[in-house]
Amino acid sequence: MHRIAVIGAGQFGQNHIRVVRQSPRADLTAVVDLDPARAALTDFHDLAGKIDAAIVATPTSAHAEIGYWLLEHGIDVLAEKPIAPDLESADRLVAAAESHARILQVGHLERFNPAVIALEGRVTLPLFFEIHRLSVFSPRSLDVDVILDLMIHDIDIVLSLIGAEPEEIRGAGVSILSSKVDIANVRLQFPNGCVANLTASRVSTERVRKLRLFQPQQYISLDYARQELLVFSVDDGRQVAFEPVPLAKAEPLQLQFDAFLDSVETRKSPKTSGLRARQTLRIALAILDKIEEHSEIVSKSLAGGWKL
């Protein structure tokens, strides 16, 4: 039985608390939150010597400080995505995990979606991705842009399926209801010619979680929310075959926690390791740089005035 602490008892932290409580392999030893109304402990430093592993579900800005302390004290860590707000902080966490021989897993939750797991076994040569991740506005996670809040899930999946980093990045985004980028469209081009077109919004009127993938003689449609995977294939006779892939639906958060416990027990690096999460963060931050460049161009156009 693994002694687990959940640090951060906000909206998503409550989901982690539920999953830990439901697990027969774990004991929810402590919950930590700055708000004493949410938890018995308000200082994560009080966890020393009391737990084996911890889930960090705090705002991203606190990941580096909390995660580093935990790893230094011999505690395995599952940190929510993104791994950190910047590469320097991410490097610090990765180095701490390595030097202290600790597990560092990052909560790229969609990698544990049964539909995504099934997709991984169907990919041959991806040529084009069309991905939409739209959400209605929520005050949660407004400390980061929509790229680090929502799109990072899809960036992580595209990188894992292609197995390479993009050679060209284009991006555009705008702030609407917060001081950060709330809606963005991004185009990634890879060395093999594959193109990924990603749209993310947290100011939509509906919730959409869909990925479409095109590869030689196949079109694959994935619905994250419904956990559905549909495959359309064309044979040499130009006949089209339709196949809904049978899936055993499950809660990704539970599968993610089970995988974390597996790594804690076997000491094998998780598939969403700190190092892989750092790679995803690097691309996400590069996207934000491109969006900023585009914003500067738009600002100059606005300052110059429109001509009809």
Side-chain angles (χ1 to χ4, degrees):
M1 186 73 71
H2 303 283
R3 299 173 300 169
I4 308 293
V6 175
I7 305 174
Q11 181 179 347
F12 207 70
Q14 291 296 326
N15 290 325
H16 281 292
I17 291 169
R18 171 181 53 80
V19 165
V20 175
R21 281 178 171 155
Q22 291 174 347
S23 174
R25 304 165 62 189
D27 173 64
L28 182 62
T29 305
V31 176
V32 183
D33 196 278
L34 292 175
D35 184 351
R38 290 177 174 173
L41 294 178
T42 58
D43 189 345
F44 64 88
H45 298 95
D46 294 334
L47 296 172
K50 299 177 182 177
I51 60 171
D52 305 307
I55 298 172
V56 180
T58 63
T60 305
S61 56
H63 285 187
E65 177 191 1
I66 297 173
Y68 187 81
W69 183 90
L70 292 167
L71 294 166
E72 269 202 319
H73 285 77
I75 299 168
D76 294 320
V77 173
L78 167 57
E80 262 306 321
K81 58 77 193 166
I83 181 174
D86 54 74
L87 292 179
E88 182 180 358
S89 297
D91 288 338
R92 190 170 176 234
L93 287 171
V94 171
E98 183 176 352
S99 63
H100 296 286
R102 292 296 96 194
I103 297 298
L104 174 59
Q105 181 172 324
V106 180
H108 287 286
L109 188 61
E110 294 288 23
R111 293 287 296 280
F112 298 92
N113 188 312
V116 174
I117 295 172
L119 174 65
E120 291 171 348
R122 297 280 180 148
V123 169
T124 56
L125 179 62
L127 298 176
F128 186 78
F129 289 88
E130 184 72 36
I131 306 175
H132 290 85
R133 185 173 293 268
L134 315 178
S135 292
V136 295
F137 184 76
S138 167
R140 186 187 68 83
S141 296
L142 294 186
D143 63 319
V144 294
D145 297 271
V146 72
I147 303 298
L148 297 179
D149 181 20
L150 297 180
M151 189 182 286
I152 196 165
H153 285 295
D154 304 302
I155 296 169
D156 181 62
I157 288 170
V158 169
L159 293 178
S160 70
L161 293 176
I162 296 179
E165 294 191 356
E167 60 181 4
E168 182 184 18
I169 298 173
R170 295 183 183 180
V174 294
S175 302
I176 298 176
L177 297 177
S178 77
S179 61
K180 303 287 188 177
V181 174
D182 293 314
I183 182 169
N185 177 257
V186 172
R187 182 182 186 274
L188 306 177
Q189 182 164 323
F190 293 84
N192 68 348
C194 179
V195 170
N197 189 33
L198 302 91
T199 299
S201 170
R202 55 188 180 196
V203 290
S204 176
T205 57
E206 59 182 335
R207 190 175 187 272
V208 177
R209 301 279 191 276
K210 291 186 177 181
L211 176 152
R212 297 171 180 86
L213 163 64
F214 298 84
Q215 58 187 12
Q217 297 184 301
Q218 277 193 337
Y219 157 57
I220 301 177
S221 175
L222 182 151
D223 190 312
Y224 293 101
R226 294 185 177 183
Q227 296 186 15
E228 290 180 351
L229 188 66
L230 308 177
V231 179
F232 299 83
S233 302
V234 180
D235 60 24
D236 293 336
R238 312 306 296 171
Q239 296 297 312
V240 178
F242 166 70
E243 176 193 0
V245 179
L247 297 174
K249 295 185 178 182
E251 183 181 9
L253 194 65
Q254 180 66 66
L255 297 179
Q256 175 183 260
F257 184 58
D258 286 340
F260 177 58
L261 293 181
D262 289 343
S263 291
V264 169
E265 293 170 3
T266 64
R267 310 314 296 170
K268 291 183 179 178
S269 179
K271 69 177 179 180
T272 55
S273 66
L275 197 59
R276 289 184 178 275
R278 192 261 186 205
Q279 177 197 36
T280 300
L281 176 64
R282 190 178 75 79
I283 300 303
L285 293 176
I287 288 171
L288 284 172
D289 287 341
K290 291 296 182 180
I291 289 176
E292 185 175 353
E293 289 177 14
H294 178 264
S295 296
E296 290 174 358
I297 294 172
V298 172
S299 295
K300 290 178 181 178
S301 298
L302 290 173
W306 294 100
K307 293 182 179 180
L308 298 178

